[in-house]
Amino acid sequence: MFARLKSLFNVDLGSLLGPKRQLLGLDIGSSGIKLVQIKEAKGTYVLQKFGIKPLEPEVIVDGTVMDEARVVAAIKELLQDANVKLKKVAISISGHSVIVKKISLPPMPDDELEGQVKLAAEQYIPFDINEVNIDFHILNPMEQSEDGQPQMSVLLVAAKKDKINELTELVKGAGLEPIVMDVDAFAVENMYGVNYAVNPEDTAALVNIGASVMNVNVVKGGTSVFTRDIPIGGNRYTEAVQREMGMSHDEAEAAKKGERGGAVDGETIKNVIEGVNAEVASEIARTIDYFKTTTTEGTIDKILLCGGCALVTGLLQQLRVRMGVEVELADPFSQIDTSMSDVDPGALSDLAPMAAVGVGLALRTIGDR
């Protein structure tokens, strides 16, 4: 099964175990908040709630919350609009405040592992070890090093406490109880594991393009083998259109989505979008090239795009040409029964790529590992 961190919170999950283990997935991004509620019944996943609440561009800037009150108000409005009663939530983190690293350790008993991971973490984390929360997941309990010695492959994750506290307070301010703190890239991986048939020999790049950060998670079979967060996203398109066309932010957002007024030069807009597409595609290509040079996992078989910017005109096609592999839009609801939700099927289909992180979070349960 795909890697699931218990939580980057210091929470006693044992006291929370019980028959009701369901969590609400809450994806708090720079451009908006996405809410997903999913119920598992007899091996089938059923969508119960889904909603999106856009945020003004000055509320969260490059992942930093500038106006806590407006974010809390937006969460409350979203909960009310979707008529959500569930209080326990899973949220996630990405960007420069989180470090994900694959490390190797000598084989050891479970009761010694946590202490050794923390000791090893100090050489990999560019923050004061006292300023972060650490979690880990064993990828392979027994593999061989280059010199033939046995070793454990461990996925190390460290997140800055101040960022975790910031998100925690937002959620608490909206009357919710944060239980699981995940990582965006792993939430997308969780979504992928439920919705797609995974060949153990295939390697896929899961690319989540948000407003300010792009997450790349390379997954071989059921295991994450490489992750990277890149500080580029949908805001780059909006800023480029604003700069080239002399538009306001709202006008540039509309133009980026193809909602152009009669006075807008469509050809110029198209050229600007294609220019940023080339920049985004180059970052993805460089990241995958770096992955290939640092691992022995082989080539990438396909790329799965999600996030709001996965829908930008021309990006999919440009990536296909640039990478020479299968590139497709993610469908987070491919294997999830959506017939019980009150969301319009057409709207759900249009918004689906934006729901990837939220779906991955909503698939988490209290106390899972």
Side-chain angles (χ1 to χ4, degrees):
M1 187 57 185
F2 288 86
R4 287 189 178 187
L5 301 170
K6 190 169 184 181
S7 178
L8 283 162
F9 289 129
N10 291 322
V11 175
D12 178 13
L13 293 176
S15 63
L16 298 169
L17 296 178
K20 294 184 178 180
R21 301 173 64 235
Q22 185 179 13
L23 293 173
L24 179 70
L26 195 65
D27 175 17
I28 303 173
S30 293
S31 65
I33 302 168
K34 280 78 72 177
L35 172 155
V36 183
Q37 183 175 318
I38 293 172
K39 183 177 181 179
E40 183 180 5
K42 298 179 180 179
T44 300
Y45 294 99
V46 179
L47 178 67
Q48 295 177 304
K49 307 285 183 180
F50 174 67
I52 295 178
K53 184 72 175 178
L55 293 173
E56 293 82 359
E58 70 275 9
V59 176
I60 299 180
V61 179
D62 293 334
T64 300
V65 177
M66 310 302 290
D67 192 330
E68 294 181 11
R70 288 165 75 180
V71 177
V72 170
I75 295 173
K76 287 181 176 179
E77 289 176 20
L78 184 56
L79 294 171
Q80 184 174 5
D81 292 345
N83 192 28
V84 172
K85 305 302 181 186
L86 201 58
K87 295 298 184 182
K88 292 180 170 59
V89 300
I91 54 180
S92 57
I93 188 173
S94 67
H96 57 81
S97 294
V98 60
I99 302 294
V100 179
K101 184 76 175 178
K102 182 181 176 183
I103 65 173
S104 297
L105 294 172
M108 66 187 71
D110 289 347
D111 58 357
E112 296 178 15
L113 184 58
E114 184 170 352
Q116 289 301 314
V117 167
K118 288 183 177 179
L119 285 175
E122 296 192 34
Q123 63 181 300
Y124 296 108
I125 299 172
F127 313 127
D128 184 328
I129 198 71
N130 297 312
E131 294 178 354
V132 298
N133 282 0
I134 293 174
D135 200 0
F136 62 92
H137 178 81
I138 300 173
L139 298 175
N140 188 340
M142 188 60 69
E143 62 181 21
Q144 283 192 341
S145 64
E146 293 182 357
D147 59 2
Q149 296 300 309
Q151 64 181 17
M152 301 175 69
S153 177
V154 178
L155 190 69
L156 168 69
V157 181
K160 296 193 74 172
K161 291 179 179 178
D162 58 356
K163 183 66 175 180
I164 290 176
N165 292 338
E166 177 183 75
L167 292 174
T168 301
E169 291 307 310
L170 291 175
V171 171
K172 287 181 176 178
L176 300 173
E177 184 181 356
I179 300 298
V180 168
M181 173 67 78
D182 210 330
V183 175
D184 284 2
F186 297 147
V188 173
E189 183 182 332
N190 203 25
M191 174 280 297
Y192 174 67
V194 166
N195 286 284
Y196 291 83
V198 180
N199 185 324
E201 300 304 316
D202 285 350
T203 303
L206 312 180
V207 181
N208 174 44
I209 312 175
S212 60
V213 176
M214 175 166 61
N215 321 120
V216 179
N217 184 6
V218 180
V219 176
K220 183 175 179 63
T223 303
S224 174
V225 293
F226 176 87
T227 64
R228 171 174 281 182
D229 285 355
I230 305 164
I232 186 174
N235 292 341
R236 188 69 59 93
Y237 291 91
T238 307
E239 291 161 2
V241 172
Q242 281 185 276
R243 184 172 59 250
E244 293 297 325
M245 305 298 294
M247 291 179 167
S248 68
H249 178 275
D250 289 346
E251 290 170 335
E253 277 287 309
K256 179 179 75 175
K257 297 173 183 176
E259 304 164 4
R260 301 164 189 156
V264 174
D265 183 345
E267 191 63 29
T268 302
I269 293 287
K270 179 182 176 183
N271 291 337
V272 173
I273 297 297
E274 287 182 350
V276 182
N277 278 344
E279 187 180 356
V280 172
S282 292
E283 290 290 349
I284 294 171
R286 275 196 289 268
T287 298
I288 290 176
D289 285 344
Y290 178 76
F291 155 74
K292 290 177 181 178
T293 64
T294 57
T295 71
T296 58
E297 301 296 339
T299 59
I300 298 292
D301 297 294
K302 71 175 178 180
I303 297 174
L304 201 66
L305 283 185
C306 59
C309 286
L311 300 169
V312 171
T313 302
L315 178 59
L316 205 68
Q317 293 76 10
Q318 191 159 156
L319 264 177
R320 284 172 178 156
V321 172
R322 178 72 180 262
M323 303 303 299
V325 299
E326 177 187 354
V327 183
E328 63 178 283
L329 282 178
D331 181 2
F333 303 113
S334 172
Q335 299 300 314
I336 294 175
D337 181 0
T338 61
S339 62
M340 302 296 288
S341 76
D342 54 5
V343 183
D344 176 74
L348 192 64
S349 177
D350 291 341
L351 297 170
M354 300 175 64
V357 171
V359 167
L361 293 173
L363 291 168
R364 297 295 304 265
T365 56
I366 295 174
D368 66 7
R369 183 80 195 189

